[in-house]
Amino acid sequence: MKLAKSNNRWNPIAFVGYLMVFLFISLFIEAEGEKKQIHFSGNWVQGNDRSFEYPIRASYDALNLYIEGTSISDIAIRVFNGSETVLEEEAPEGTLPVTIPIFNLQKGIVYQLELTNSWGNRLVGEFFVE
């Protein structure tokens, strides 16, 4: 009976492949963990009861823009690069939180985020894509 020889050599191509996958995943995990808050100016009151404000928050990381809070109306979400609209989304009533991919936006630019609701309220904030 002849036993097959075991090959104890490691495969450098497989090693490099596993290393690349590990580095790729770790970059996304790192980017996800660095959320930065977007501070708004403007007024956000919904419905007929103007005494109660519905909080809306926005944050971002290298990959996504996150809109969170409570809304009893549709929300129009627009991102401007200073001169033109580069991103436009609609968040129907009751669908918050919303995650919007921004990894394809040009780096090194300050963008303006604008949120408007059905009653004409508007919030504006800025964020910088690194």
Side-chain angles (χ1 to χ4, degrees), residues 9-28:
R9 288 189 55 200
W10 55 279
N11 185 343
I13 295 173
F15 176 75
V16 170
Y18 287 126
L19 182 63
M20 295 299 289
V21 168
F22 174 76
L23 290 174
F24 184 73
I25 290 171
S26 67
L27 285 174
F28 278 107

Side-chain angles (χ1 to χ4, degrees), residues 19-81:
L19 182 63
M20 295 299 289
V21 168
F22 174 76
L23 290 174
F24 184 73
I25 290 171
S26 67
L27 285 174
F28 278 107
I29 290 171
E30 182 180 322
E32 179 70 24
E34 296 180 14
K35 284 187 182 178
K36 296 175 186 167
Q37 194 69 28
I38 298 174
H39 300 285
F40 287 116
S41 61
N43 190 20
W44 193 264
V45 181
Q46 301 181 80
N48 296 329
D49 185 5
R50 299 255 179 220
S51 63
F52 183 76
E53 291 194 22
Y54 296 82
I56 299 291
R57 294 172 306 284
S59 58
Y60 69 101
D61 58 26
L63 304 174
N64 296 305
L65 181 63
Y66 306 94
I67 312 295
E68 304 171 89
T70 305
S71 177
I72 59 170
S73 73
D74 296 343
I75 298 175
I77 303 164
R78 291 182 194 85
V79 175
F80 302 93
N81 66 0

Side-chain angles (χ1 to χ4, degrees), residues 77-89 112 114:
I77 303 164
R78 291 182 194 85
V79 175
F80 302 93
N81 66 0
S83 60
E84 63 185 2
T85 304
V86 294
L87 212 156
E88 192 165 1
E89 295 279 333
Q112 185 179 50
E114 176 189 77

Side-chain angles (χ1 to χ4, degrees), residues 89-102:
E89 295 279 333
E90 183 78 21
E93 176 185 345
T95 60
L96 293 181
V98 174
T99 301
I100 301 167
I102 61 168

